[in-house]
Amino acid sequence: MAMEFETRWFVYDMIRWPGRYMRLPDCGDVQMGALFAEALGAGKGCDADDVEL
């Protein structure tokens, strides 16, 4: 699974370890992870509209 719960937060492992999920060498994880994080807006908070139930 590419999303895991870690100390109060969900962490998308495709950002941390993209080589594992794309079957590529781990040597590019930092650079590819940064690209995925930027594309997904990681760390910028939820952009969903408030929903009243």
Side-chain angles (χ1 to χ4, degrees), residues 9-25:
W9 306 102
F10 280 98
V11 179
Y12 191 42
D13 277 348
M14 188 66 170
I15 292 171
R16 292 196 310 181
W17 316 112
R20 292 183 186 177
Y21 297 96
M22 298 178 68
R23 296 185 176 157
L24 298 171

Side-chain angles (χ1 to χ4, degrees), residues 3-43:
M3 185 169 284
E4 297 180 6
F5 188 74
E6 181 179 288
T7 56
R8 298 182 17 214
W9 306 102
F10 280 98
V11 179
Y12 191 42
D13 277 348
M14 188 66 170
I15 292 171
R16 292 196 310 181
W17 316 112
R20 292 183 186 177
Y21 297 96
M22 298 178 68
R23 296 185 176 157
L24 298 171
D26 292 341
C27 62
D29 279 350
V30 173
Q31 293 84 0
M32 286 191 318
L35 292 173
F36 282 120
E38 180 66 28
L40 295 170

